[in-house]
Amino acid sequence: MVTITIGEFTRVEGNGEADIIIENGEVKEVKLKIVEGPRFFELLTLGRYYYDVPDLEARICAICYLSHSVASVLGIERAFNVEVPREVMLLRELGLLGEFLESHALHLYLLVAPDVFGYPDAIKMASKHGELVKEGLSIKAFGNYIREVIGGREIHGINVKPGGFGRYPTIEELEKIEQNSEALLRFAKRAVNVFADLKFYGAKAEHFVATNSYLYGDKLIACDEEVFDYYEHIEEKTLPYSFAKQSKYKGDIFMVGALPRVMLKSEQLTPLAKKLFEDHREKLSQGYVSLNNLAQAIELVYALEKAKEIARELLDKGLSCENVPVEVQEGEGIGYVEAPRGVLIHHYKIDSKGNISYSNIITPTALNHAIMELSLYEEAKKNYGSLDEKTFVQRLEETVRAFDPCISCSVHLVKL
Amino acid sequence: MNPYQTYDAKILEIRELTPREKLFTLRFVDSEANKEFKYKPGQFVIVDIRGFGEFPISLCSTPTREGYIQLCVRRVGRMTKYMHTLKEGDVIGIRGPYGNGFPMEKMEGSELILVSGGLGMAPLRSVLWYAIDSGKYEHIYLLYGTKSYEDILFRDEIIHLLKHGDAIGCTVKLAYEVESPSCIYLERGFSPKVCKGVVTDLFRGMEFDVENTYALICGPPVMYKYVIKELLDRKLSPGRIYMTLERRMRCGIGKCGHCIVGTSTSIKYICKDGPVFTYWEALSTRGLI
Amino acid sequence: MIILRYVKLPSENFEEFFNSLKQWGEINAPVKQGNIYSFKKVDSLKEVSLDYTRTMLPPKKFFVKPRDELLKLKEGKWEESNGTKPVVLFGVHSCDIHGLQILDKVYLDEPVDIYYKKRRENSIIIGISCMPDEYCFCKSLGTDFAMTGFDLFLHELPDGYLVRVGSVKGHEIVWANEGVFEPISEEDLKYFREFEEKRANSFKRSLNKEGLADMLDLAFESPVWKKYEKICLGCGNCNMVCPTCRCYEVCDLWVNAYEGVRVRRYDSCFMESHGLVAGGHNFRPTRLDRFRHRYYCKSYFDPSAGFNCVGCGRCDEFCPAKIEHVKVLDEVREALK
Amino acid sequence: MLKLGVFELTDCGGCALNILFLYEKLFDIIKFYEIKEFHMASSFKEHDHLDVAIITGTVSCQRDLELLKRVRNNSNYVIALGTCATHGDVQGSVEGSIREKLEKVYGSRANPMKALDSKPIVEYVAVDYALPGCPYDKDEVYQVLMDIAKGVEPPKKDYPVCIECKLNEYECVLIKRGIPCLGPITLGGCNAICVKSKVGCIGCRGPLPKEANPASEFEILKELGYDEEYIRKKFKTFARGELRW
Ligand SMILES: Cc1cc2nc3c(=O)[nH]c(=O)nc-3n(C[C@H](O)[C@H](O)[C@H](O)COP(=O)(O)OP(=O)(O)OC[C@H]3O[C@@H](n4cnc5c(N)ncnc54)[C@H](O)[C@@H]3O)c2cc1C
Ligand code: SF4
Ligand code: SF4
Ligand code: SF4
């Protein structure tokens, strides 16, 4: 038995490794290991007052901190039966869209694009494809701007609160968001073309899971049309070789992320994004995980269109800037949010004093851990022996990168 | 005129006085600025390392020798550490001179006792050479307390004065704390002017005409109390005791507020009301020393 | 034509007068921002809260900015940051006018701080009368009425304002807006006196300044300082909001690879480093020393400028630990007896 | 050219990411620095010598510790970047021993991955400069890197968040809204950005060294009606047990 170890993936967020176990000249098993130290967020929030919890949860991951804040806030609000007005929900959506832009742009332009064009990193790629890198950076910067406006800071802002916000955006800020969304749209369209002829690789996802609404939800949906709460059909198990847990949907390997979202929720896409989706529908329905990148590019278009739409609606209606009072009571609630890399679940029980008595957080990279491992296995099996070791390892790394994996959030789970 | 603007000054020479202190000899790049820069012993300048920051440093050269100014800089923190990396020919910014300085005219004809500890030698060196060069003072005593032989600032000058000072009306006395062969050699050569001990030990056996003497003190904060006691014990009037003080300062011209001392009855700015104060002022301004 | 020191501005002309000030400079007036007031650029009278108590930052912020870019580093040389535009400070209270005069003593003293001077020369100060709230103690310090330091001062009347002209510029403004002013009547004067009297009786706090300076000096070892050392957060909020505090810190910052700026910002004597000198000696090593130092500094009486405190009450209103300036001084006095 | 490496131990990735968020200012930095390492890359060889190493994150497993020591031993100037590296941040404040924690979350006391109790890197190695913040303000790291490039020691902040809060004239949420704000006892440098959002500072930059008076802050929050346990937890969120009163 030989083991090939891929030490620390590069150009992914967080620290991950893989062991490829070879027996009798054949790939027998692949172990995807998350070697980043555990951070114990569930324990951290135990006993903490609900109001401070979203700020703590944001620290799970910097790339998608706002998804964590919003998921946390949704879970808490559901526990208290708080209904927030449309204005607040729209602003949260706007924030999540900003996060899509920031995260997808980072992933597509800086991490995946070098694979597409055959460069070791974006800086070296910039010499030939400078325009593209610049376009990506401007989308990313804009996404960050939205995160700053809505979330309070580019990273780990604490503006998103149960019941509303600390500070509401100004007219000028909303106008700027509307204008920039419009202006950046042509860059996003170009991205769709760039990622449209990606090779198929990785596993073929049999099951897709997403939230029932495009950016968040109160239930999960799956490709078998099941509408459910995560604990009904998703089972988590711990692994002896990784700090991350692995999940199965009804006992099967499944996928969350951009591909499942566009496949399951295409009717909710904005006009141009929908058209682009239809153009590539056939391809996308092949279900290879590598297609996730194409879906992400389509989502860039979606996010810009949607952000513009939301900003306009808010500008037309005007902001009332009022928070809903939160009444502390004993309760339980789950927040489902579509983080850029897929479904994110925050589940809390809160006691009568408003302190957290139970918390469970399931992150997209954890949900995707199994299919990531499977993809590595299939890719390894296909290529072992036919490729030299360097190209072999490179191919496997590319496979992992297709997921837009984020290791920090997987602990419970893979870094740049 | 913008008082915060600084003038280009070129480093003509750098001498390593001790491992911690370097002597920078500077000249303004602009010849007008050279002519206009008039200063008194005891005044200081603000050194400006552009893009990094500013800090106050006493002038340790004497106005009697024109064409250059000298600064003795001890390496203690970020700016001074950087200053020590500069080379001859580099250009820095200087503004000043600031502060009141010692009343040299008023003291003419009298005996001067300069009491210095450690880096306090820097401003007093200006007085020392001013007094010697001008020849207008009856006699000059320099009582200098140093940690060790290696720490003696302007060592060549001090040894020169130990040897030949009396001839030009200047008596140097040196106290050292850490024994070393060099010190013992000095002590043997210049006994009783050199001894082991602290600066106050140098007062032993010293008598002076309290009507015709001024004492000028500069040293670390802890030193003042003990030196002043020696002087008062010999009945020197507080009005004849001058000391130069140090406080953190940013502007040097009485704006930034850092060097404010005193209480409700007296507020003083070290930078513009000082840095030279008489002991009377110390008595009426709490916290001055 | 009216060339008088006292004129009347009838209510119906108030807005016209306000708008006419725009030609003298950018109007900045107290605006309500959440639960505080702040001097802000305004375009119309609607935005202004004339019945404000006190702004959080005093008008000092227009002359010594909280963050003030002094010099720009270009090719190894400092260039002056300039660009002073004319401002009209509309609705300044008497205590703050006194505050500015104390700053004048510092910043206009030789060598003159050119930034301060330029801005001062480019500003018009329009004072407005006020009613004290629970924090004000200006009356006891004699800063409740401004005799100088403003261009125009508006005193509330039932049907307008009695306007005192305080400078040549003030006269020019009145001259240029001749049509909006009227001569004052006996009745206006009567109301003015009544208002001032009512105001004088509305103060809830007063500082006993009798021998204050000496009393404090004697109280150097007072146990009261120890008590407050425990309460005081040492956060510097009191310094930042005080109209007479003026300590500033300077730092050089890079704006790109080869260019920098020299910026000064408000500093506070509550910071550990404030009294620190080379060699690590700290002249005010403990919070007690720093706490006491602030009271000493504020209670210093300069014969030509008065106390370093104008009784505006900002330090009380914005102290998270609710330490009260007057109460501390009273307690110190009490402990001495 | 100075050789620069950026290393990540266990954290959220924010501190490394924040460097990328410098955007065009990154080009100023690469005028002086050659970026040898960015993010845990396996290409780090022990003989690689760095002039400046930036380390983010806490030491939370054996791998972190080994990497940290390797980097320290091969770098002239080490910057502990972010509150994880300087104070331990949120993972550092989770109470209990590592085995207990593993059992609670993974259901087994087994520790095959050699997890450690999360501690800031300053507990294991000496650093030349510590810059806290969760994450730090990006201009701060820019100034620090520029200063080092030009040969001068970067200055250290010595004032609480309140100072910057006032410089920006933000309404004090502690006084005016009764919102618990740790501004008075937290090291400044973030430009009081959270107070801009009208929420209280949660102390992400760790305690103000020396000067802070947490005892008084404690009393103030108690007066506002917060219970002791709540305040205690709030105080130690980012800085473990460092705030004592
Ligand atoms: C009137 C006057 C004359 C002086 N003359 C000399 C002299 O002739 N030779 C000499 O070597 N030093 C002199 N000093 C001290 C010198 O100013 C400080 O050593 C220098 O400012 C330290 O700067 P830094 O950046 O290297 O130190 P930092 O890294 O800033 O700090 C190191 C130490 O120096 C203290 N310090 C910082 N800034 C100042 C400041 N502006 N004023 C005083 N202390 C400060 C700090 O509190 C700290 O203890 C004088 C100071 C004053 C006020
Ligand atoms: S000390 Fe307080 S009351 Fe006096 S002027 Fe300053 S802020 Fe106002
Ligand atoms: S809001 Fe917080 S940081 Fe700002 S002044 Fe108040 S206590 Fe200080
Ligand atoms: S205000 Fe407080 S919590 Fe917010 S960034 Fe600053 S130090 Fe961190």
Side-chain angles (χ1 to χ4, degrees):
Chain A
M1 191 181 89
V2 242
T3 303
I4 303 179
T5 297
I6 309 184
E8 308 206 353
F9 300 117
T10 51
R11 279 189 285 132
V12 296
E13 202 321 283
N15 307 315
E17 300 177 357
D19 283 353
I20 322 289
I21 298 152
I22 317 237
E23 243 179 62
N24 307 328
E26 237 182 86
V27 177
K28 167 123 193 304
E29 195 187 346
V30 173
K31 287 183 182 168
L32 178 61
K33 304 195 292 193
I34 304 302
V35 295
E36 176 131 340
R39 296 172 68 217
F40 303 109
F41 270 85
E42 289 92 341
L43 299 183
L44 178 77
T45 48
L46 277 186
R48 296 288 305 231
Y49 192 58
Y50 81 91
Y51 184 85
D52 293 346
V53 170
D55 309 340
L56 297 176
E57 306 282 29
R59 265 89 188 169
I60 293 175
C61 170
I63 302 192
C64 53
Y65 89 86
L66 205 62
S67 304
H68 282 282
S69 308
V70 174
S72 177
V73 161
L74 291 178
I76 292 164
E77 284 174 355
R78 290 203 178 117
F80 292 154
N81 284 320
V82 172
E83 270 306 322
V84 294
R86 183 174 164 80
E87 168 183 314
V88 171
M89 254 356 265
L90 283 178
L91 285 169
R92 285 179 187 161
E93 269 187 49
L94 190 57
L96 292 174
L97 292 169
E99 196 144 284
F100 269 51
L101 291 171
E102 185 274 325
S103 175
H104 282 2
L106 172 78
H107 183 234
L108 286 175
Y109 291 89
L110 298 184
L111 309 183
V112 181
D115 286 340
V116 174
F117 295 101
Y119 289 92
D121 58 50
I123 298 175
K124 300 211 172 62
M125 187 181 98
S127 55
K128 259 275 179 55
H129 302 275
E131 274 307 300
L132 195 67
V133 173
K134 260 204 204 134
E135 290 175 10
L137 285 177
S138 49
I139 295 180
K140 185 169 133 67
F142 175 55
N144 254 343
Y145 174 74
I146 301 183
R147 295 214 298 187
E148 191 176 340
V149 170
I150 306 289
R153 256 206 299 179
E154 289 183 340
I155 299 175
H156 300 339
I158 59 175
N159 194 34
V160 182
K161 293 287 172 205
F165 293 92
R167 166 189 175 272
Y168 284 78
T170 61
I171 305 278
E172 293 75 36
E173 288 167 343
L174 287 174
E175 280 170 349
K176 188 167 166 193
I177 290 174
E178 185 187 19
Q179 287 154 10
N180 286 4
S181 307
E182 175 75 50
L184 291 169
L185 203 53
R186 63 195 170 93
F187 296 166
K189 277 192 263 180
R190 223 161 77 115
V192 175
N193 288 334
V194 171
F195 294 97
D197 9 85
L198 277 172
K199 295 172 282 210
F200 293 163
Y201 53 82
K204 214 168 148 152
E206 301 292 336
H207 292 281
F208 290 146
V209 168
T211 61
N212 54 356
S213 207
Y214 206 92
L215 292 167
Y216 58 92
D218 44 22
K219 289 280 181 202
L220 294 177
I221 53 173
C223 44
D224 56 3
E225 307 204 340
E226 186 83 59
V227 180
F228 61 103
D229 267 316
Y230 80 97
Y231 48 82
E232 295 175 284
H233 299 301
I234 292 179
E235 216 172 303
E236 270 195 302
K237 75 167 205 251
T238 51
L239 301 173
Y241 53 82
S242 174
F243 287 128
K245 297 183 187 175
Q246 239 185 32
S247 307
K248 297 269 173 71
Y249 168 69
K250 296 185 178 169
D252 283 342
I253 291 178
F254 67 101
M255 179 181 180
V256 296
L259 183 61
R261 277 196 294 262
V262 296
M263 292 306 292
L264 292 174
K265 299 187 274 196
S266 64
E267 347 53 71
Q268 292 184 42
L269 291 174
T270 45
L272 182 58
K274 179 128 196 297
K275 182 180 167 296
L276 291 167
F277 169 75
E278 293 301 340
D279 292 351
H280 299 287
R281 177 180 215 125
E282 211 166 315
K283 192 167 180 187
L284 290 164
S285 44
Q286 303 270 340
Y288 284 100
V289 297
S290 65
L291 292 163
N292 197 43
N293 298 145
L294 175 57
Q296 286 174 314
I298 293 173
E299 282 193 336
L300 282 182
V301 176
Y302 164 77
L304 289 168
E305 282 187 298
K306 188 83 185 171
K308 188 179 145 204
E309 195 182 299
I310 292 178
R312 181 72 333 220
E313 178 178 340
L314 291 169
L315 282 166
D316 288 343
K317 286 193 185 146
L319 289 178
S320 70
C321 305
E322 267 168 38
N323 286 0
V324 181
V326 173
E327 258 174 62
V328 172
Q329 58 187 75
E330 205 178 317
E332 178 172 355
I334 307 176
Y336 295 108
V337 161
E338 287 282 1
R341 22 202 81 59
V343 172
L344 169 66
I345 304 162
H346 280 230
H347 182 177
Y348 304 109
K349 289 182 190 154
I350 306 180
D351 69 19
S352 58
K353 282 172 134 170
N355 295 330
I356 303 294
S357 58
Y358 167 87
S359 113
N360 189 16
I361 296 155
I362 303 179
T363 62
T365 313
L367 294 172
N368 273 338
H369 189 266
I371 193 162
M372 240 184 281
E373 220 174 58
L374 180 67
S375 294
L376 282 173
Y377 174 71
E378 293 199 351
E379 220 34 47
K381 209 158 136 177
K382 193 155 59 177
N383 296 308
Y384 182 71
S386 62
L387 295 175
D388 62 278
E389 181 154 335
K390 193 167 158 250
T391 332
F392 176 70
V393 167
Q394 204 177 322
R395 169 58 55 84
L396 293 186
E397 277 202 26
E398 286 174 23
T399 310
V400 169
R401 274 200 289 273
F403 286 93
D404 179 14
C406 171
I407 295 184
S408 328
C409 82
S410 66
V411 176
H412 215 70
L413 245 215
V414 193
K415 269 180 185 187
L416 192 71
Chain B
M1 243 320 291
N2 187 339
Y4 305 111
Q5 183 61 268
T6 55
Y7 295 90
D8 284 359
K10 190 164 158 184
I11 302 177
L12 301 178
E13 192 195 46
I14 301 176
R15 254 170 66 204
E16 191 168 312
L17 298 178
T18 78
R20 279 196 301 172
E21 282 102 357
K22 280 187 180 176
L23 179 68
F24 294 83
T25 306
L26 301 153
R27 195 184 153 81
F28 289 100
V29 174
D30 177 47
S31 56
E32 274 306 305
N34 263 317
K35 268 188 234 135
E36 275 166 31
F37 193 88
K38 296 263 180 291
Y39 66 99
K40 294 198 287 188
Q43 286 192 296
F44 63 96
V45 293
I46 298 273
V47 178
D48 174 18
I49 314 239
R50 295 175 186 150
F52 297 175
E54 293 185 314
F55 53 99
I57 293 291
S58 306
L59 286 152
C60 70
S61 49
T62 154
T64 49
R65 303 181 188 179
E66 287 176 25
Y68 63 88
I69 56 170
Q70 287 179 320
L71 306 175
C72 165
V73 180
R74 174 179 284 181
R75 199 178 63 227
V76 294
R78 53 184 298 268
M79 297 307 306
T80 45
K81 195 163 147 197
Y82 183 80
M83 180 103 182
H84 272 236
T85 66
L86 294 178
K87 311 227 165 11
E88 288 172 5
D90 285 348
V91 173
I92 57 172
I94 296 280
R95 56 187 177 87
Y98 298 130
N100 53 0
F102 290 103
M104 298 309 297
E105 281 101 54
K106 186 174 156 197
M107 299 187 289
E108 280 171 19
S110 306
E111 284 194 353
L112 303 183
I113 304 175
L114 314 183
V115 189
S116 127
L119 195 53
M121 193 56 221
L124 291 184
R125 175 185 181 246
S126 180
V127 178
L128 178 70
W129 288 108
Y130 179 92
I132 295 176
D133 289 353
S134 68
K136 291 179 179 157
Y137 303 86
E138 191 166 312
H139 195 86
I140 306 148
Y141 293 94
L142 170 65
L143 313 185
Y144 182 16
T146 176
K147 192 131 227 119
S148 70
Y149 181 82
E150 286 68 34
D151 291 319
I152 303 174
L153 290 174
F154 310 105
R155 204 181 307 135
D156 49 346
E157 294 176 16
I158 298 290
I159 293 176
H160 175 86
L161 289 172
L162 276 169
K163 283 189 189 144
H164 311 292
D166 293 320
I168 48 174
C170 173
T171 309
V172 172
K173 293 172 128 194
L174 185 71
Y176 62 90
E177 287 175 49
V178 181
E179 219 161 284
S180 69
S182 311
C183 284
I184 293 169
Y185 172 79
L186 273 186
E187 191 168 345
R188 287 218 192 101
F190 302 106
S191 176
K193 290 189 201 162
V194 179
C195 67
K196 185 163 186 298
V198 291
V199 73
T200 41
D201 295 330
L202 298 173
F203 281 96
R204 211 172 300 138
M206 247 185 98
E207 294 299 329
F208 42 77
D209 176 7
V210 293
E211 295 302 316
N212 194 33
T213 300
Y214 286 94
L216 294 73
I217 318 170
C218 186
V222 288
M223 191 187 90
Y224 292 90
K225 206 165 86 194
Y226 299 104
V227 171
I228 287 164
K229 183 171 179 301
E230 295 288 341
L231 294 168
L232 293 177
D233 284 351
R234 292 171 174 74
K235 297 279 177 294
L236 189 67
S237 152
R240 289 179 169 267
I241 304 176
Y242 287 100
M243 40 203 196
T244 155
L245 302 175
E246 186 199 346
R247 280 300 185 279
R248 192 186 197 86
M249 51 182 73
R250 283 297 175 240
C251 66
I253 51 176
K255 316 277 185 233
C256 82
H258 283 85
C259 72
I260 290 178
V261 289
T263 67
S264 46
T265 49
S266 55
I267 289 279
K268 295 219 158 56
Y269 287 81
I270 299 284
C271 67
K272 63 174 197 198
D273 301 325
V276 176
F277 294 92
T278 65
Y279 188 55
W280 282 136
E281 287 167 300
L283 286 174
S284 60
T285 313
R286 207 194 275 269
L288 200 61
I289 55 170
Chain C
M1 170 181 346
I2 13 178
I3 308 180
L4 292 168
R5 267 215 68 194
Y6 305 95
V7 288
K8 180 172 180 180
L9 176 62
S11 301
E12 59 273 23
N13 295 347
F14 188 57
E15 189 155 1
E16 188 186 340
F17 164 70
F18 178 86
N19 288 329
S20 77
L21 290 173
K22 285 181 193 156
Q23 69 198 65
W24 298 85
E26 181 188 288
I27 305 182
N28 284 273
V31 174
K32 193 162 166 70
Q33 302 248 301
N35 301 314
I36 60 160
Y37 295 96
S38 162
F39 276 103
K40 283 259 146 78
K41 177 178 180 292
V42 291
D43 292 319
S44 75
L45 193 55
K46 288 201 302 288
E47 301 165 51
V48 185
S49 300
L50 283 178
D51 56 346
Y52 78 110
T53 47
R54 63 183 66 68
T55 54
M56 185 158 81
L57 292 188
K60 169 177 84 172
K61 74 171 185 182
F62 290 95
F63 308 106
V64 198
K65 299 184 181 162
R67 285 198 184 88
D68 211 350
E69 208 173 272
L70 296 181
L71 302 160
K72 279 192 173 67
L73 185 66
K74 288 242 166 73
E75 285 164 19
K77 296 245 186 288
W78 288 121
E79 285 178 9
E80 247 165 68
S81 293
N82 43 20
T84 319
K85 52 180 187 305
V87 291
V88 177
L89 294 188
F90 189 85
V92 185
H93 287 167
S94 164
C95 58
D96 282 347
I97 291 175
H98 280 272
L100 284 177
Q101 287 178 296
I102 291 173
L103 290 187
D104 285 350
K105 289 283 293 177
V106 176
Y107 285 97
L108 299 180
D109 189 21
E110 285 297 325
V112 172
D113 182 292
I114 55 150
Y115 303 95
Y116 184 86
K117 183 159 179 262
K118 270 198 236 161
R119 290 170 189 158
R120 221 35 189 118
E121 285 169 350
N122 259 302
S123 67
I124 287 169
I125 309 276
I126 314 260
I128 196 155
S129 58
C130 51
M131 270 297 169
D133 71 352
E134 72 267 34
Y135 299 111
C136 299
F137 58 99
C138 56
K139 182 164 166 267
S140 51
L141 292 168
T143 52
D144 55 329
F145 196 85
M147 306 288 275
T148 53
F150 56 87
D151 299 293
L152 295 176
F153 204 106
L154 313 181
H155 292 273
E156 192 182 311
L157 295 175
D159 56 349
Y161 290 93
L162 181 144
V163 182
R164 279 191 296 140
V165 181
S167 73
V168 173
K169 249 195 235 160
H171 277 299
E172 287 173 15
I173 297 171
V174 173
W175 178 284
N177 291 292
E178 209 188 342
V180 306
F181 295 104
E182 287 171 5
I184 47 169
S185 65
E186 268 309 314
E187 198 166 328
D188 295 334
L189 273 178
K190 185 166 151 269
Y191 186 85
F192 168 64
R193 279 193 296 267
E194 275 170 21
F195 182 92
E196 284 302 310
E197 206 179 300
K198 185 169 132 219
R199 178 165 176 260
N201 294 327
S202 310
F203 284 90
K204 296 184 192 80
R205 250 181 227 194
S206 83
L207 177 69
N208 178 358
K209 58 176 194 233
E210 189 69 33
L212 181 64
D214 285 311
M215 181 286 282
L216 276 180
D217 198 26
L218 288 171
F220 191 80
E221 303 290 349
S222 174
V224 175
W225 306 126
K226 284 202 191 66
K227 167 183 160 189
Y228 281 101
E229 178 189 29
K230 296 211 175 65
I231 302 171
C232 170
L233 290 160
C235 62
N237 269 314
C238 51
N239 298 124
M240 306 311 274
V241 298
C242 179
T244 69
C245 268
R246 53 193 177 261
C247 283
Y248 68 72
E249 178 68 339
V250 183
C251 61
D252 290 6
L253 296 173
W254 297 101
V255 291
N256 60 41
Y258 305 104
E259 293 178 341
V261 287
R262 178 159 285 163
V263 184
R264 67 174 169 205
R265 62 153 173 83
Y266 295 174
D267 198 7
S268 154
C269 54
F270 275 101
M271 300 306 114
E272 231 295 293
S273 62
H274 198 274
L276 198 65
V277 294
H281 184 81
N282 198 327
F283 286 91
R284 289 185 290 276
T286 64
R287 194 159 48 242
L288 186 147
D289 296 301
R290 299 191 275 270
F291 186 84
R292 184 170 54 199
H293 175 73
R294 175 170 170 278
Y295 281 86
Y296 278 161
C297 187
K298 291 295 135 196
S299 308
Y300 173 64
F301 185 83
D302 178 339
S304 62
F307 286 102
N308 266 337
C309 166
V310 294
C312 69
R314 283 187 176 86
C315 51
D316 288 10
E317 184 176 348
F318 297 102
C319 173
K322 299 207 172 73
I323 295 173
E324 297 172 18
H325 193 88
V326 173
K327 194 159 158 244
V328 172
L329 291 173
D330 283 349
E331 281 177 30
V332 172
R333 192 186 286 272
E334 193 58 36
L336 213 55
K337 279 180 193 158
Chain D
M1 284 295 246
L2 294 166
K3 293 198 204 110
L4 175 74
V6 181
F7 301 90
E8 230 181 301
L9 310 181
T10 295
D11 62 10
C12 76
C15 287
L17 193 66
N18 212 13
I19 297 178
L20 292 181
F21 289 176
L22 278 170
Y23 303 117
E24 68 279 7
K25 288 200 159 180
L26 271 178
F27 293 104
D28 292 347
I29 291 184
I30 56 178
K31 285 199 175 97
F32 304 99
Y33 292 93
E34 193 183 340
I35 300 180
K36 284 288 184 194
E37 297 285 340
F38 201 130
H39 274 237
M40 310 316 314
S42 42
S43 58
F44 181 71
K45 291 174 208 72
E46 268 174 58
H47 58 261
D48 273 353
H49 185 87
L50 294 171
D51 296 298
V52 181
I54 292 177
I55 309 179
T56 75
T58 53
V59 175
S60 299
C61 58
Q62 199 58 37
R63 174 199 144 274
D64 288 344
L65 188 55
E66 280 159 22
L67 181 79
L68 172 64
K69 292 196 170 148
R70 234 163 51 202
V71 175
R72 173 69 272 190
N73 290 337
N74 289 289
S75 321
N76 285 352
Y77 197 97
V78 169
I79 304 173
L81 187 64
T83 306
C84 290
T86 61
H87 296 86
D89 210 289
V90 289
Q91 62 265 34
S93 74
V94 181
E95 288 166 5
S97 78
I98 185 68
R99 293 209 184 263
E100 282 168 30
K101 291 184 261 188
L102 284 168
E103 179 164 20
K104 280 191 199 143
V105 175
Y106 299 96
S108 150
R109 292 175 82 88
N111 190 0
M113 310 295 294
K114 301 204 192 105
L116 302 171
D117 276 316
S118 295
K119 282 189 191 155
I121 65 169
V122 296
E123 296 234 336
Y124 289 101
V125 296
V127 300
D128 300 280
Y129 196 84
L131 191 126
C134 183
Y136 55 89
D137 178 270
K138 54 187 179 177
D139 189 54
E140 260 188 302
V141 83
Y142 176 77
Q143 298 296 344
V144 166
L145 287 176
M146 291 297 272
D147 276 348
I148 294 172
K150 309 231 173 191
V152 71
E153 184 69 22
K156 294 198 166 83
K157 302 260 158 53
D158 68 337
Y159 52 83
V161 174
C162 285
I163 296 286
E164 287 172 335
C165 185
K166 282 287 172 313
L167 291 178
N168 288 302
E169 214 175 354
Y170 296 143
E171 171 189 346
C172 177
V173 296
L174 180 66
I175 295 167
K176 297 293 176 189
R177 293 171 187 252
I179 295 175
C181 178
L182 300 190
I185 54 171
T186 302
L187 178 69
C190 60
N191 218 357
I193 185 131
C194 296
V195 188
K196 182 182 179 190
S197 294
K198 302 192 176 78
V199 288
C201 167
I202 57 174
C204 83
R205 293 175 63 88
L208 178 69
K210 294 187 222 159
E211 182 48 37
N213 186 353
S216 175
E217 174 86 13
F218 191 84
E219 291 305 320
I220 293 167
L221 296 183
K222 241 167 74 180
E223 188 115 320
L224 283 173
Y226 296 93
D227 70 52
E228 294 192 12
E229 184 58 18
Y230 170 81
I231 307 171
R232 196 184 66 79
K233 287 214 168 91
K234 201 162 176 78
F235 276 18
K236 60 168 286 189
T237 305
F238 290 94
R240 305 185 296 154
E242 282 180 43
L243 283 176
R244 290 179 210 289
W245 60 92

